Amino acid sequence: MSTIFFISFSISITFTSMILGFLVNERIKGNQLYHRISRLEFIKNDRINQWIGVGVMKFLVSKTFWGKFNTKLKIEGKPALKEMILLKEEMTSAEISHLIGFLAVLLVSFGLTVTKNYEFGLVLLIINIIFNLYPSLLQQQNKRRITGIIERFYSEIY
């Protein structure tokens, strides 16, 4: 099979995993597992995020059609505290959905590698990293910024 087929099929699998991630995320919201997952931080250092290319993902999301996919992740003007808290919750939901999708496709990618479909497994892994892992890391980075704003708001009040 050709590399073009592997890329096309990998994109399809990855986008399907996003739907799976969203559905599983909605199912687990509110339980203990969700709260544990929502506190995970894979990379806390913004310099490392920049070094691995999360800044490129941020640029692509903000300047291309990719930013139109989740319109709940935008605030116009100076937001109130309640809007910031809701934005953080939406970011957490998007982050977990991408993370669930990433893990599902990672298993498929490893399965392909075990069955000696190395090229397909590698292509799927790369596409999965681009479309699931990087958006999850971007949401974590944005969540840290929003948390800082929320904490400053509370410190001004008290």
Side-chain angles (χ1 to χ4, degrees), residues 44-147:
K44 295 179 184 182
N45 187 318
D46 284 337
R47 267 208 242 170
I48 294 173
N49 272 333
Q50 288 299 96
W51 185 78
I52 65 170
V54 174
V56 173
M57 177 58 70
K58 183 176 186 175
F59 175 82
L60 291 173
V61 168
S62 65
K63 303 295 183 196
T64 66
F65 65 93
W66 292 109
K68 309 272 187 261
F69 280 111
N70 193 345
T71 57
K72 294 178 184 178
L73 296 178
K74 291 186 192 231
I75 289 184
E76 301 295 328
K78 186 176 179 182
L81 176 62
K82 184 177 181 180
E83 289 175 299
M84 296 302 287
I85 291 169
L86 290 174
L87 178 63
K88 184 179 175 187
E89 288 172 6
E90 275 302 318
M91 285 182 176
T92 301
S93 180
E95 169 198 348
I96 292 173
S97 293
H98 278 291
L99 189 58
I100 292 167
F102 175 74
L103 293 173
V105 175
L106 187 64
L107 290 173
V108 173
S109 182
F110 283 145
L112 287 167
T113 304
V114 167
T115 60
K116 299 188 185 334
N117 289 311
Y118 301 115
E119 185 181 3
F120 190 15
L122 180 62
V123 170
L124 182 59
L125 178 63
I126 291 168
I127 298 292
N128 190 29
I129 289 169
I130 293 168
F131 289 110
N132 274 323
L133 182 60
Y134 272 74
S136 188
L137 293 174
L138 178 60
Q139 294 303 340
Q140 285 186 359
Q141 184 180 42
N142 288 337
K143 240 177 33 176
R144 280 193 303 276
R145 286 185 25 237
I146 297 297
T147 299

Side-chain angles (χ1 to χ4, degrees), residues 6-18 124 127:
F6 292 147
I7 292 170
S8 301
F9 199 51
S10 294
I11 290 171
S12 298
I13 291 170
T14 303
F15 274 81
T16 302
S17 78
M18 290 177 198
L124 182 59
I127 298 292

